[in-house]
Amino acid sequence: MTLESKILQKIKPTPLEEEALAASVARLLAILRSRIKEKGLHAEPVVVGSVAKGTHLKGKDLDLFVLFPPETPREALEEQGLALGAFLERREKMFAEHPYTHGYFEGLEVEIVPCYRITDPAQKMSAVDRTPFHARFVIERLTAAQKDEVRLLKAFCKGTGTYGAEARIQGFSGYLCELLVLRYGSFPSVLEAADTWRPGAILEIGATATRPFPEPLVVVDPIDGGRNVASALSGGTLAAFREAARAYRKKASERFFWPRPRKPLTATAAATTLRRRGTSLLGISLRRPELTEDVLYPQVHKAHRALVDLFDRHGFTVQASRSEALEGEVLFLFEFEVALLPAVERHLGPPAGVPNAEDFLAKWRGNRLAATPPFLEGDRWAVLVRRVLTTPEKLAKAKVATLSLGKNLDESARRGVRVAAGRQALRAAWMGEVTELLEPRFPWAR
Amino acid sequence: MTLESKILQKIKPTPLEEEALAASVARLLAILRSRIKEKGLHAEPVVVGSVAKGTHLKGKDLDLFVLFPPETPREALEEQGLALGAFLERREKMFAEHPYTHGYFEGLEVEIVPCYRITDPAQKMSAVDRTPFHARFVIERLTAAQKDEVRLLKAFCKGTGTYGAEARIQGFSGYLCELLVLRYGSFPSVLEAADTWRPGAILEIGATATRPFPEPLVVVDPIDGGRNVASALSGGTLAAFREAARAYRKKASERFFWPRPRKPLTATAAATTLRRRGTSLLGISLRRPELTEDVLYPQVHKAHRALVDLFDRHGFTVQASRSEALEGEVLFLFEFEVALLPAVERHLGPPAGVPNAEDFLAKWRGNRLAATPPFLEGDRWAVLVRRVLTTPEKLAKAKVATLSLGKNLDESARRGVRVAAGRQALRAAWMGEVTELLEPRFPWAR
């Protein structure tokens, strides 16, 4: 029995599970149809997502779309769409293109999403409206055997931390996995092909690209030549996937599907590592805003870049950094080459004789912050300026609240920023991230 | 009496001095003519340089050219040129376009330089051959009053450290000063004009530029539109001159002509400054090769750049640096932000998936110098590598001899490099340079 058959046994629903799922889905559709009838609507519920396409893994997720006639006003669609989902347990209102309902039914985690019924994919439509076309494209082409190949690829992406188009992962969506298997035929062939993707590679499956794409991997949507199915995939996640594929082909193992949980370093071990290296650690924590991850993570990434840039501009060389949304807080971690900079820093000004050189001189001549009068370094003005913020900790405390971190994180920063340096940064809640910062390991190589 | 008249009184030869000079020059020319006649040559001695043009300062310098017929073979010219100068006291053979004689006559410091008599400046000729044409151009145009303006400008350049086209100064030649006075009319007008020179400014005095020039200031040679009289002038020296002009126009004083000698910092004062700033000092000294300054200084500058680059590449931020040829040694001084870097450094490799990524991985996987396995930072490979050379001192000791410092300095480096850090670098012989490094001051602002 091959490794992949063994893995399939673990990830593929059994016939019994499929039967139970089908029965629940039938009951759910019946309820929806009767609610639609009661309300006199012309809507139609359809199962979409991996269950519709037969590429689902074991689990209890179900995506349902309710197709409304194209002439339905937007507000009516949203209101009625939400009303239709009102029978779900523990339901929450969520937001994508339209608001939708997330909740539970017979133990299944269900999303009921209203959208427009569109018959011609050439019509202008939202990403949500396009989904039924994606489902149909895949269902019509994927063989039964290939469905298992998709399952393997999805499980591989999950295990290697590259599954999901959401902002936290910036990885491979289910639809992208399906298209890749359609394109290359099987899970191993996709892994093999990954090695050949060059930056800017364009994969076309049935449709031709109708515009250039800026992303590192382009998989043209068969339903819309102007859309890249891999548009959410970041260069970093793509690189991790390719490395995972390379490593798996060299030495396949279950580790790629079920990574070992990583044991965090103890605070003592981390302190020893930092001391041996001669580097220093800083943690910056903001209160976590109550937002969906897809809204939060772009801000986390923006804030991360802003912080690295802040340290950089002030002469603190960041050796490594991480950012992550944890329970109740957003954490930014930095490892610095140097924890203390001199009490002066050189400001290099404009070349002598250009018009704004006079501004530089006017600013620094006799300035009490200047440690020297302006002097020439080659043909450029320079001045030694007193540095007050001589440690990353002081710098962060003084400046984080002045940065542009994203709307909600800015608000968090105004409420207070926790800055912890050295041993203070070795808090229990942070040690998982500290461990990844100091000793990065791929999930399959732990 | 204006400041400038007072200065002229000090720099311009008195009538008595002029008379004595003229008498010596007459005797010198008589001797040369009789030697030429004795040897049956068709050569002709002429006074060139500032004495010929009447723009000389007090002093005892005299430049004489001996013009040979154009058909004279090069070796004959060189041999006979040297033979003609054999009557000078303490004479030395020097090298420019042709070898020439440097020596003394009645207390004058004399140079006797053989060159070709060329009647048409359009003929191909060397810089030396061109000199008589320069002299004639200036003599024919400069008024008596303007000669004094040239004297002021030259003395101003001397006092501000910007006089001389030689490699050590990279400044204003006498001929350039003369052309500037011809162009702008007077010493004050030249200072005023300096403020208007923009990078790449082209000044044409009688001739039009026949090609583009890369230098920061272009003064087209009236004798040759393809030559920039200011070609030796560096951006740094030009900037210093412009700043001097600006400062002088704001507040004129004798300081610009006779700068106060600077009192070096004591070792204790320098150590205090370094401690307060939190910066660290390093001196690197090489044996001074026995070369003329014009051959030595380009190597000094090259070596300086190579050293700054070395430190930079290894993560040591140079806050300030200087290089100078001292008695018996060439000294390079560096002030560093940080004196100790961590025991590891991050090497950023190629993006994942490009062809040479495999080389990076092959190099660093399992490498005993690597402190971690390669990991992904975004879409690029990175690895933490053990750093052995954790101080600029260790780095310099290990690497200076491997750099390309210039032919003769490479030889010096092979014989031994003195590297001195911290208090060790506060040697008495170095304190003048240490002072300029730590507290740079313009000559007029001491």
Side-chain angles (χ1 to χ4, degrees):
Chain A
M1 193 167 167
T2 67
L3 173 66
E4 277 129 30
S5 336
K6 267 194 235 165
I7 288 157
L8 260 184
Q9 280 195 327
K10 296 194 192 175
I11 62 175
K12 187 180 176 176
T14 63
L16 255 166
E17 287 166 333
E18 292 283 20
E19 221 169 88
L21 177 64
S24 285
V25 168
R27 282 188 292 271
L28 187 55
L29 287 174
I31 292 172
L32 272 170
R33 286 200 189 101
S34 87
R35 290 173 68 89
I36 288 168
K37 203 171 171 190
E38 268 167 32
K39 293 171 197 277
L41 302 175
H42 295 279
E44 176 195 356
V46 289
V47 177
V48 293
S50 58
V51 170
K53 295 178 277 189
T55 60
H56 52 297
L57 304 183
K58 268 182 209 272
K60 304 275 181 179
D61 291 336
L62 183 68
D63 296 340
L64 275 163
F65 275 27
V66 182
L67 309 182
F68 284 82
E71 60 275 13
T72 315
R74 192 185 166 90
E75 306 87 64
L77 176 136
E78 297 188 349
E79 191 188 315
Q80 293 162 0
L82 286 172
L84 284 177
F87 67 96
L88 293 182
E89 298 152 31
R90 287 180 280 154
R91 68 180 175 282
E92 290 175 283
K93 184 173 166 183
M94 310 289 279
F95 296 88
E97 309 261 347
H98 314 296
Y100 65 94
T101 312
H102 175 270
Y104 291 85
F105 177 81
E106 298 184 359
L108 292 175
E109 191 175 346
V110 179
E111 291 185 347
I112 298 179
V113 181
C115 70
Y116 288 106
R117 180 191 306 116
I118 288 169
T119 46
D120 176 4
Q123 274 180 263
K124 191 173 173 288
M125 56 182 162
S126 70
V128 165
D129 301 332
R130 220 180 274 115
T131 303
F133 292 97
H134 292 166
R136 190 173 319 145
F137 184 88
V138 170
I139 290 165
E140 285 172 359
R141 284 163 184 78
L142 217 51
T143 65
Q146 282 178 331
K147 289 177 185 172
D148 286 348
E149 301 295 316
V150 172
R151 288 186 169 105
L152 284 168
L153 180 56
K154 283 185 181 179
F156 180 84
C157 287
K158 281 195 177 171
T160 56
T162 60
Y163 189 73
E166 62 266 29
R168 186 169 68 85
I169 303 283
Q170 300 183 294
F172 292 73
S173 66
Y175 180 46
L176 180 53
C177 289
E178 289 154 358
L179 289 182
L180 289 173
V181 168
L182 277 177
R183 173 74 159 72
Y184 294 108
S186 71
F187 166 63
S189 313
V190 172
L191 299 196
E192 196 181 326
D195 227 25
T196 68
W197 297 338
R198 293 288 160 262
I202 298 192
L203 312 182
E204 294 173 333
I205 302 138
T208 307
T210 57
R211 64 174 182 95
F213 295 96
E215 293 92 5
L217 179 68
V218 179
V219 179
V220 180
D221 190 347
I223 301 308
D224 179 353
R227 189 175 166 263
N228 175 15
V229 178
S231 64
L233 183 65
S234 73
T237 308
L238 174 59
F241 176 80
R242 295 178 52 164
E243 175 57 13
R246 201 199 56 79
Y248 182 83
R249 291 176 64 217
K250 203 165 164 194
K251 192 170 185 312
S253 89
E254 292 201 0
R255 287 284 163 71
F256 291 84
F257 298 87
W258 295 283
R260 272 197 282 215
R262 185 160 193 194
K263 206 180 148 194
L265 291 172
T266 64
T268 311
T272 304
T273 297
L274 288 163
R275 201 184 53 244
R276 279 204 194 124
R277 287 188 185 171
T279 55
S280 67
L281 185 68
L282 187 79
I284 298 175
S285 162
L286 302 175
R287 187 191 155 112
R288 179 174 177 156
E290 286 182 15
L291 297 169
T292 61
E293 289 192 344
D294 275 353
V295 178
L296 176 59
Y297 270 92
Q299 293 189 31
V300 171
H301 298 151
K302 179 187 169 132
H304 187 160
R305 288 192 298 274
L307 288 166
V308 168
D309 184 57
L310 172 75
F311 292 123
D312 211 51
R313 272 185 286 125
H314 287 78
F316 294 100
T317 307
V318 173
Q319 180 152 286
S321 63
R322 287 184 71 79
S323 54
E324 193 57 78
L326 305 177
E327 184 80 31
E329 62 179 333
V330 176
L331 174 64
F332 303 90
L333 280 179
F334 301 90
E335 185 185 15
F336 292 101
E337 264 194 11
V338 163
L340 178 69
L341 284 180
V344 293
E345 62 183 317
R346 190 189 54 168
H347 277 211
L348 205 56
V354 305
N356 61 337
E358 279 308 311
D359 302 341
F360 182 85
L361 296 176
K363 174 172 178 188
W364 290 114
R365 279 209 184 98
N367 188 317
R368 65 183 185 79
L369 287 176
T372 56
F375 55 93
L376 279 171
E377 198 173 281
D379 65 345
R380 294 183 66 176
W381 286 107
V383 65
L384 283 189
V385 178
R386 289 179 216 293
R387 191 200 306 262
V388 179
L389 304 171
T390 51
T391 67
E393 187 181 3
K394 286 183 192 168
L395 178 62
K397 282 180 176 162
K399 298 285 186 188
V400 168
T402 71
L403 297 176
S404 185
L405 308 169
K407 181 168 172 257
N408 305 90
L409 287 182
D410 282 346
E411 223 174 272
S412 292
R414 275 196 295 277
R415 287 167 175 238
V417 180
R418 177 201 287 257
V419 178
R423 286 208 78 114
Q424 302 299 315
L426 300 175
R427 304 164 55 78
W430 295 0
M431 289 310 297
E433 292 302 312
V434 169
T435 303
E436 282 300 323
L437 179 83
L438 296 183
E439 298 178 359
R441 291 285 181 281
F442 290 113
W444 59 90
R446 282 171 191 161
Chain B
M1 190 165 169
T2 67
L3 174 65
E4 275 129 31
S5 339
K6 266 194 236 166
I7 287 157
L8 259 183
Q9 281 195 328
K10 297 195 191 175
I11 62 175
K12 186 179 176 175
T14 63
L16 256 167
E17 287 167 334
E18 291 283 21
E19 222 168 86
L21 178 64
S24 285
V25 169
R27 283 190 290 275
L28 189 53
L29 286 174
I31 291 173
L32 272 170
R33 287 199 189 99
S34 87
R35 290 174 67 90
I36 287 168
K37 204 171 171 189
E38 268 169 32
K39 292 174 196 275
L41 301 175
H42 295 279
E44 175 196 356
V46 289
V47 177
V48 292
S50 59
V51 170
K53 295 178 277 189
T55 60
H56 52 297
L57 304 183
K58 268 183 208 272
K60 305 273 182 181
D61 290 338
L62 185 66
D63 296 340
L64 275 162
F65 276 27
V66 182
L67 309 182
F68 284 82
E71 60 275 14
T72 317
R74 190 184 168 92
E75 305 86 66
L77 176 137
E78 297 188 349
E79 191 188 317
Q80 292 163 1
L82 286 172
L84 285 176
F87 67 98
L88 294 182
E89 299 152 31
R90 285 181 279 153
R91 70 179 175 283
E92 290 175 283
K93 182 174 167 184
M94 310 288 278
F95 296 88
E97 308 263 346
H98 312 296
Y100 65 94
T101 312
H102 176 272
Y104 292 85
F105 177 82
E106 296 182 3
L108 292 175
E109 190 175 345
V110 180
E111 289 184 350
I112 298 179
V113 181
C115 70
Y116 287 106
R117 181 194 302 117
I118 288 170
T119 47
D120 175 4
Q123 276 181 260
K124 192 173 172 291
M125 55 183 164
S126 70
V128 166
D129 301 332
R130 221 181 273 117
T131 303
F133 292 97
H134 291 165
R136 190 174 318 146
F137 184 88
V138 170
I139 290 164
E140 285 172 0
R141 283 162 183 81
L142 218 50
T143 67
Q146 283 179 332
K147 290 178 183 172
D148 286 348
E149 301 295 317
V150 171
R151 288 188 168 102
L152 285 168
L153 181 55
K154 285 184 181 179
F156 180 84
C157 287
K158 283 195 175 170
T160 56
T162 60
Y163 188 73
E166 61 266 29
R168 186 171 67 86
I169 304 283
Q170 299 183 294
F172 292 72
S173 67
Y175 180 47
L176 179 54
C177 290
E178 290 154 357
L179 290 182
L180 289 174
V181 168
L182 277 176
R183 173 72 161 72
Y184 293 108
S186 70
F187 167 62
S189 314
V190 172
L191 299 195
E192 196 181 325
D195 227 24
T196 69
W197 297 337
R198 293 286 160 264
I202 298 191
L203 313 182
E204 293 173 334
I205 303 137
T208 307
T210 57
R211 63 172 181 99
F213 295 96
E215 292 92 5
L217 179 68
V218 179
V219 179
V220 180
D221 190 348
I223 301 308
D224 179 353
R227 190 177 165 264
N228 176 15
V229 178
S231 65
L233 183 64
S234 73
T237 307
L238 174 60
F241 176 81
R242 296 178 53 164
E243 175 57 14
R246 201 200 56 80
Y248 182 84
R249 292 175 63 216
K250 202 166 165 194
K251 191 169 186 310
S253 90
E254 293 201 0
R255 287 283 164 71
F256 291 85
F257 298 87
W258 296 283
R260 275 197 279 214
R262 183 158 197 196
K263 206 179 147 198
L265 292 172
T266 62
T268 310
T272 304
T273 297
L274 288 164
R275 201 184 52 244
R276 278 202 195 126
R277 288 187 185 173
T279 55
S280 68
L281 186 67
L282 187 80
I284 298 175
S285 163
L286 301 176
R287 186 190 155 115
R288 179 174 176 155
E290 286 181 17
L291 298 168
T292 61
E293 289 192 344
D294 274 353
V295 178
L296 177 59
Y297 270 92
Q299 292 190 31
V300 172
H301 297 150
K302 179 188 168 129
H304 187 159
R305 286 192 300 273
L307 288 167
V308 168
D309 183 56
L310 172 74
F311 292 125
D312 211 51
R313 272 184 287 124
H314 287 79
F316 294 99
T317 307
V318 173
Q319 179 153 285
S321 63
R322 286 186 71 80
S323 54
E324 194 56 81
L326 305 177
E327 184 81 32
E329 63 179 334
V330 176
L331 174 64
F332 304 89
L333 279 179
F334 301 89
E335 186 186 15
F336 292 100
E337 265 195 9
V338 164
L340 178 68
L341 284 181
V344 291
E345 63 184 316
R346 190 189 54 170
H347 276 213
L348 205 55
V354 306
N356 61 339
E358 280 308 311
D359 301 342
F360 182 84
L361 296 176
K363 175 172 179 188
W364 290 113
R365 279 208 184 101
N367 189 316
R368 62 182 189 82
L369 287 177
T372 57
F375 55 92
L376 279 172
E377 200 175 282
D379 66 344
R380 293 183 64 176
W381 287 107
V383 66
L384 284 189
V385 178
R386 290 180 214 292
R387 191 198 305 262
V388 179
L389 304 170
T390 52
T391 67
E393 187 181 4
K394 285 182 192 168
L395 178 62
K397 282 181 175 161
K399 298 284 186 187
V400 168
T402 71
L403 297 175
S404 184
L405 308 169
K407 182 169 172 259
N408 306 89
L409 287 182
D410 281 346
E411 223 173 274
S412 293
R414 273 195 296 276
R415 286 169 175 239
V417 180
R418 178 201 286 258
V419 177
R423 286 209 80 114
Q424 303 298 316
L426 300 175
R427 303 164 55 79
W430 296 0
M431 288 311 296
E433 291 303 312
V434 169
T435 304
E436 283 300 324
L437 179 83
L438 296 183
E439 298 178 358
R441 292 284 181 278
F442 289 114
W444 59 91
R446 280 169 192 164

